[in-house]
Amino acid sequence: MTTIITELKELIIRFDTDFNNYKRNAHYNEAMTRQKYIDIFLRLLGWDITNPMGILYNDREIVAEEYS
């Protein structure tokens, strides 16, 4: 549990440190935000975001969105 809390604190510090850069950068988008912060956050909460066990689509907790 301590490792999870430490990783979460590091994630928050990294986000807080770079927050203004993200707001000013028009090229920083939702997919980048998800990759750099949201996926890590969900993993720290114990969610299966990468489906390493090959669970069927309908039984998965997280399903990636389709982008066009």
Side-chain angles (χ1 to χ4, degrees), residues 7-8 11 14 33-47 49:
E7 288 183 53
L8 182 56
L11 183 66
R14 188 168 56 240
T33 303
R34 179 169 179 156
Q35 181 181 32
K36 191 164 185 178
Y37 297 105
I38 299 169
D39 285 352
I40 295 168
F41 179 69
L42 294 176
R43 180 184 51 81
L44 290 171
L45 293 177
W47 288 31
I49 59 170

Side-chain angles (χ1 to χ4, degrees), residues 18 39 53:
D18 294 335
D39 285 352
M53 297 175 64

Side-chain angles (χ1 to χ4, degrees), residues 1-10 43-44:
M1 184 72 154
T2 304
T3 303
I4 294 171
I5 293 172
T6 301
E7 288 183 53
L8 182 56
K9 286 179 181 179
E10 290 171 358
R43 180 184 51 81
L44 290 171

Side-chain angles (χ1 to χ4, degrees), residues 14-30:
R14 188 168 56 240
F15 179 80
D16 189 49
T17 301
D18 294 335
F19 182 72
N20 287 327
N21 291 330
Y22 300 140
K23 285 182 67 174
R24 282 180 272 178
N25 186 343
H27 299 290
Y28 197 81
N29 61 32
E30 180 183 346

Side-chain angles (χ1 to χ4, degrees), residues 49-64:
I49 59 170
T50 59
N51 194 24
M53 297 175 64
I55 298 171
L56 293 174
Y57 181 85
N58 289 337
D59 296 329
R60 293 184 60 188
E61 292 177 333
I62 303 288
V63 178

